[in-house]
């Protein structure tokens, strides 16, 4: 915490020095959303290059003066929280003055910018994300406040903890971890008691694009147990994008890649080649939109696809067919095909990439 306080004090000192010299204060933030500032490293995923281009948030420029003021406002809130050892979610910060901030996304972006500017992970700034992910299966742990959580005996899923760093005493007999893209598929596997039937496992869903806590938990489970991690996604560009966020990270959080990515994650399904192999009726597939075509083309150009020849092949199948499928398409074969046939066969015979 002293490191965080010192980093904030240095920023404020810079502002005061500029004012003393009758200059307009400027905040310099690395341009984290620019692919030119990102490099791909096999062992880490996407990370920021050491000397990356930066953007200046000026106090004397009409376009950025408000953003400059909001950054100082949030810096002062973070400073108080770190001093008093209290925490707030991004929502709490937004609701502390909705008129001033205007929208939740403004708060989210500024917190990312501050984290990037100070080179300090967001959780060390005492800012928590609102969790949307769920976890179930063979896992128990103790939360920071001493609450014991047992995911094994619960027929319903447990919400991913809001302070993943604080959990301890993780125990599990799981043989693998399954990341499920969508809540509906996750609930279906839960109803089918999947995590007990095949072999003990841990199931996680970020319910679409994963929030920070879900990504931190996946990483923590990997560090704790070193067991295989598989992903179950829709066979569409959006599903591939989500899987890449878990495996290689995102551009906007690339300065934190070391704590968030798990490059050993495997693509279990739904593979575009599975649709042919299982003779899924063409009528059950969904035609690509223009947006899907653009998304797929951008994924195919990313640096990590070059070192995944098998993934590349699957993306080519998808691009050639211009068709996509949700995991639910497997119910056209039988209502419990996913948990009774598809997943057990894949896991037993090594049908992952």
């Amino acid at each position: 915490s002293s490191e965080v306080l010192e980093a904030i004090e240095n920023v404020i000192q810079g502002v005061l020095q500029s004012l003393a010299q009758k200059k307009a204060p400027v905040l310099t933030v690395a341009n984290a959303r620019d692919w030119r500032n990102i490099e791909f490293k096999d062992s880490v995923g996407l990370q920021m290059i050491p000397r990356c281009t930066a953007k200046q948030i000026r106090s004397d420029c009409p376009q950025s003066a408000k953003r400059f003021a909001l950054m100082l406002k949030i810096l002062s809130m973070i400073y108080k929280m770190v001093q008093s050892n209290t925490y707030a979610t991004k929502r709490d910060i937004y609701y502390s003055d909705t008129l001033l901030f205007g929208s939740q996304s403004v708060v989210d972006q500024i917190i990312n910018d501050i984290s990037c500017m100070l080179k300090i992970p967001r959780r060390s700034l005492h800012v928590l994300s609102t969790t949307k992910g769920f976890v179930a299966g063979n896992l128990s742990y103790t939360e920071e406040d001493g609450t014991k959580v047992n995911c094994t005996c619960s027929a319903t899923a447990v919400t991913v903890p809001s302070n993943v760093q604080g959990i301890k005493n993780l125990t599990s007999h799981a043989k693998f971890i399954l990341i499920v893209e969508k809540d509906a598929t996750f609930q279906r596997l839960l109803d089918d008691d999947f995590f007990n039937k095949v072999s003990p496992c841990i199931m996680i869903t970020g319910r679409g694009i994963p929030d920070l806590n879900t990504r931190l938990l996946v990483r923590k489970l990997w560090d704790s147990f070193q067991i295989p991690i598989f992903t179950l996604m829709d066979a569409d560009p959006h599903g591939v994008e989500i899987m890449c966020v878990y495996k290689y990270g995102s551009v906007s959080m690339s300065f934190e890649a070391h704590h968030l990515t798990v490059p050993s994650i495997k693509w279990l399904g739904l593979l575009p080649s599975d649709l042919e192999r299982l003779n899924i009726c063409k009528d059950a597939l969904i035609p690509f939109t223009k947006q899907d075509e653009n998304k797929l083309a951008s994924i195919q150009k990313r640096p990590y696809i070059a070192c995944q020849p098998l993934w590349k092949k699957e993306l080519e199948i998808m691009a050639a067919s211009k068709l996509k499928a949700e995991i639910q398409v497997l119910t056209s074969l039988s209502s419990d095909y996913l948990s009774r046939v598809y997943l057990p066969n894949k896991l037993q015979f090594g049908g992952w990439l």
Side-chain angles (χ1 to χ4, degrees), residues 146-180:
T147 311
K148 286 185 168 56
V149 178
N150 188 350
C151 308
T152 313
C153 59
S154 128
T156 55
V158 172
T159 308
V160 168
S162 59
N163 191 356
V164 175
Q165 288 320 98
I167 67 173
K168 48 189 183 293
N169 307 332
L170 286 90
T171 52
S172 175
H173 302 294
K175 297 283 181 279
F176 63 91
I177 295 163
L178 183 66
I179 299 171
V180 183

Side-chain angles (χ1 to χ4, degrees), residues 44-297:
V44 181
L46 299 175
Q47 59 177 14
M48 285 188 86
I49 56 176
R51 279 189 290 283
C52 57
T53 59
K55 56 184 177 188
Q56 289 199 326
I57 298 160
R58 302 188 63 85
S59 57
D60 62 346
C61 170
Q63 283 84 15
S64 60
K66 185 176 179 185
R67 196 172 188 83
F68 180 91
L70 293 181
M71 281 185 80
L72 289 189
K73 166 79 175 165
I74 292 178
L75 275 170
S76 78
M77 293 171 88
I78 290 168
Y79 193 84
K80 281 180 195 148
M81 289 192 298
V82 175
Q83 267 188 325
S84 59
N85 197 24
T86 54
Y87 288 82
T89 65
K90 294 188 294 184
R91 279 185 84 72
D92 295 334
I93 291 174
Y94 168 59
Y95 282 110
S96 70
D97 200 332
T98 51
L99 280 176
L100 177 70
F101 294 120
S103 76
Q104 181 71 59
S105 64
V106 168
V107 173
D108 297 355
Q109 277 179 0
I110 286 176
I111 288 163
N112 272 355
D113 281 348
I114 286 173
S115 182
C116 196
M117 175 175 74
L118 302 177
K119 295 192 172 48
I120 287 171
R122 195 165 75 198
R123 62 196 168 280
S124 303
L125 302 176
H126 287 226
V127 178
L128 304 173
S129 309
T130 313
T131 296
K132 64 182 179 113
F134 288 132
V135 58
N138 196 294
L139 174 70
S140 58
Y141 56 84
T142 309
E143 288 200 349
E144 198 178 24
D145 62 1
T147 311
K148 286 185 168 56
V149 178
N150 188 350
C151 308
T152 313
C153 59
S154 128
T156 55
V158 172
T159 308
V160 168
S162 59
N163 191 356
V164 175
Q165 288 320 98
I167 67 173
K168 48 189 183 293
N169 307 332
L170 286 90
T171 52
S172 175
H173 302 294
K175 297 283 181 279
F176 63 91
I177 295 163
L178 183 66
I179 299 171
V180 183
E181 177 187 349
K182 279 191 184 142
D183 195 25
T185 311
F186 181 85
Q187 297 298 339
R188 180 66 212 246
L189 290 172
L190 210 57
D191 294 344
D192 290 350
D193 196 27
F194 173 75
F195 62 80
N196 285 322
K197 276 183 183 159
V198 182
S199 66
C201 74
I202 299 167
M203 295 197 313
I204 290 184
T205 180
R207 298 160 77 195
I209 294 171
D211 59 292
L212 190 67
N213 294 324
T214 305
R215 290 173 63 190
L216 281 168
L217 183 63
V218 169
R219 178 60 198 245
K220 185 144 190 150
L221 293 173
W222 164 248
D223 288 338
S224 304
F225 305 123
Q226 301 277 314
I227 52 178
I229 303 182
F230 302 110
T231 58
L232 180 62
M233 305 280 151
D234 288 342
D236 67 9
H238 190 63
V240 176
E241 170 90 286
I242 289 170
M243 172 171 61
C244 291
V245 168
Y246 283 107
K247 187 176 172 76
Y248 296 122
S250 58
V251 174
S252 62
M253 298 297 287
S254 55
F255 59 94
E256 269 200 67
H258 292 269
H259 312 285
L260 292 172
T261 59
V262 184
S264 60
I265 284 173
K266 302 279 185 273
W267 186 5
L268 186 70
L270 189 60
L271 302 176
S273 59
D274 289 340
L275 305 173
E276 246 165 65
R277 187 174 57 82
L278 298 170
N279 287 325
I280 302 283
C281 168
K282 281 268 197 294
D283 296 344
L285 306 179
I286 307 158
F288 262 24
T289 62
K290 189 77 194 130
Q291 205 179 357
D292 291 325
E293 282 183 45
N294 295 342
K295 167 72 79 189
L296 183 57

